[in-house]
Amino acid sequence: MSPDPAPAVMHIEPPRRPVWWRLLWVLAGAISLALGIVGIFLPVLPTTPFVLLAAFCFSRGSRRAEDWLLNHPRLGPVVRDWRATRAVPLRAKQIATVMMTLSSIWAGYTLPLAWCWLPAAGCAAVAAWLWSLPTRR
């Protein structure tokens, strides 16, 4: 009598998230992407962190949205580079810091005294996070 054949290998796919959960991820990604696009025109908002956050959210909510972002001619290289190296180019850190500083100064002159510190505080937090990341030369 021959031995039993080897058992078939079962490939178990990880459970898919519920639809409502994926929709929340896509909504968060869309909001992050919108803020990143607004950040292109308003230096108070940094573009790159919002685009990276959008990619993170899309990766959990919609493969199609993530693929669209990764293949976008302007935004895709930023995300692909971040995923490959987990580092930010030195020049990007410098430009982002200068732009956030200038926009915080501008906001300090234009906002009421009670609110003028808010953009500077947000920009300082983003700059601290940005400079804590590895630098790609």
Side-chain angles (χ1 to χ4, degrees):
M1 196 165 187
S2 65
D4 291 336
V9 177
M10 291 185 62
H11 294 287
I12 299 174
E13 198 157 318
R16 288 183 50 94
R17 291 179 175 90
V19 172
W20 65 270
W21 192 242
R22 291 193 319 261
L23 287 175
L24 285 177
W25 279 116
V26 171
L27 178 63
I31 291 169
S32 297
L33 185 59
L35 288 172
I37 291 170
V38 169
I40 293 171
F41 306 102
L42 292 177
V44 176
L45 287 175
T47 300
T48 302
F50 284 116
V51 172
L52 294 177
L53 180 60
F56 174 80
C57 294
F58 288 156
S59 73
R60 279 147 180 76
S62 169
R63 172 67 65 191
R64 189 167 65 185
E66 181 188 23
D67 288 342
W68 174 83
L69 186 57
L70 289 172
N71 293 315
H72 190 276
R74 299 276 187 226
L75 304 174
V78 172
V79 178
R80 290 192 307 270
D81 188 41
W82 169 255
R83 287 183 176 180
T85 64
R86 290 286 197 238
V88 179
L90 178 61
R91 187 78 175 137
K93 287 182 177 185
Q94 293 169 337
I95 291 171
T97 302
V98 168
M99 293 303 292
M100 287 188 291
T101 302
L102 293 174
S103 63
S104 294
I105 292 169
W106 174 76
Y109 283 116
T110 59
L111 290 176
L113 189 57
W115 296 101
C116 67
W117 61 272
L118 193 58
C123 288
V126 170
W129 169 77
L130 184 64
W131 285 96
S132 72
L133 297 172
T135 301
R136 183 175 57 83
R137 300 203 180 267

